[in-house]
Amino acid sequence: DQQVKQNSPSLSVQEGRISILNCDYTNSMFDYFLWYKKYPAEGPTFLISISSIKDKNEDGRFTVFLNKSAKHLSLHIVPSQPGDSAVYFCAASGVSNTGKLIFGQGTTLQVKP
Amino acid sequence: NAGVMQNPRHLVRRRGQEARLRCSPMKGHSHVYWYRQLPEEGLKFMVYLQKENIIDESGMPKERFSAEFPKEGPSILRIQQVVRGDSAAYFCASSSQRARETYNEQFFGPGTRLTVL
């Protein structure tokens, strides 16, 4: 039962262009969403988050959009840089639970110079 | 301020042996989460502990797996009688205690890669 889904295993974009990573969820009890970035042989690093009371959160080149009615969120990276090449995980949590994170399968982003 | 520490980084065990994975949370953090990442998959929650207490173990396999977070020392994830299917990356994350209206961000360690021969 995959409650958080990232349907695109990989994405390739040109340096300077926009990267859009997508994530869908099924559990309407989720009220906090996060994006993590992961390099090989390292642990995930927190990137950006959004509460369900908002529909957009921006931090520098990174913006997360939340569409609650569609149970969909996306991460926009503008402009994309080669150093952004990594695996990106979407994760969800509910305040009503213990704070555990439910992760998607990940999307591998490659930014070409 | 040191981040989350995990050791060993790599662990090789033969089938039937025991594996012990250690996690030292960030300074001041009293909440520890363990996750497992199987090849080509996302991270799956296993267990959530506070000092001396298991709060949520809903993701832990019923047999062979146990976890503890003693008053002193690191959190330990213990796998008895390992099988090849236990081969995975095991990540620990820690968080501080905050008010419930704000999410308590989890900081991840570098992981322990367990290989069962």
Side-chain angles (χ1 to χ4, degrees):
Chain A
D1 178 24
Q2 190 71 29
Q3 298 185 67
V4 178
K5 295 181 183 179
Q6 294 176 256
N7 291 318
S8 298
S10 62
L11 175 68
S12 181
V13 300
Q14 208 65 37
E15 181 179 6
R17 307 294 290 268
I18 184 172
S19 295
I20 300 176
L21 295 94
N22 294 302
C23 178
D24 297 294
Y25 62 97
T26 57
N27 191 336
S28 58
M29 297 301 291
F30 289 146
D31 59 4
Y32 204 87
F33 304 90
L34 309 91
W35 284 93
Y36 280 84
K37 176 180 179 180
K38 186 181 181 302
Y39 292 116
E42 295 184 11
T45 303
F46 170 76
L47 202 55
I48 192 169
S49 62
I50 188 167
S51 164
S52 60
I53 62 174
K54 296 184 176 181
D55 55 18
K56 177 183 175 181
N57 188 26
E58 193 171 351
D59 183 1
R61 297 186 296 115
F62 303 92
T63 303
V64 56
F65 296 92
L66 176 62
N67 182 335
K68 281 187 294 183
S69 61
K71 293 190 176 68
H72 176 84
L73 63 155
S74 61
L75 173 69
H76 292 211
I77 306 174
V78 181
S80 301
Q81 299 173 354
D84 296 329
S85 298
V87 179
Y88 288 78
F89 289 100
C90 167
S93 182
V95 175
S96 57
N97 69 17
T98 54
K100 65 186 180 188
L101 296 175
I102 308 300
F103 282 86
Q105 309 95 309
T107 297
T108 300
L109 172 66
Q110 182 185 25
V111 179
K112 297 179 179 178
Chain B
N1 186 14
V4 178
M5 310 281 283
Q6 288 189 251
N7 67 81
R9 293 292 307 273
H10 300 273
L11 182 61
V12 179
R13 285 287 179 266
R14 296 191 180 279
R15 280 179 297 170
Q17 291 184 320
E18 178 180 287
R20 284 196 178 213
L21 289 64
R22 295 175 187 77
C23 169
S24 296
M26 285 180 69
K27 187 176 181 181
H29 286 190
S30 57
H31 302 244
V32 166
Y33 299 79
W34 285 93
Y35 296 85
R36 175 166 67 173
Q37 184 182 23
L38 295 170
E40 307 302 323
E41 294 188 12
L43 285 76
K44 300 273 193 249
F45 167 77
M46 298 182 75
V47 61
Y48 163 44
L49 311 100
Q50 294 180 24
K51 285 284 187 181
E52 299 185 277
N53 287 301
I54 297 175
I55 307 302
D56 181 354
E57 55 182 350
S58 59
M60 285 275 272
K62 294 288 186 280
E63 297 178 349
R64 302 187 298 107
F65 285 72
S66 62
E68 63 177 11
F69 190 15
K71 186 176 180 182
E72 301 291 337
S75 175
I76 306 286
L77 179 68
R78 182 182 176 202
I79 312 172
Q80 295 178 291
Q81 300 176 333
V82 296
V83 301
R84 288 216 173 109
D86 297 332
S87 295
Y90 292 81
F91 293 97
C92 163
S94 73
S95 67
S96 61
Q97 191 168 13
R98 290 190 189 178
R100 284 187 60 80
E101 62 266 21
T102 61
Y103 180 79
N104 49 342
E105 179 187 335
Q106 296 178 29
F107 296 85
F108 282 81
T112 294
R113 275 140 193 89
L114 172 65
T115 302
V116 179
L117 301 177

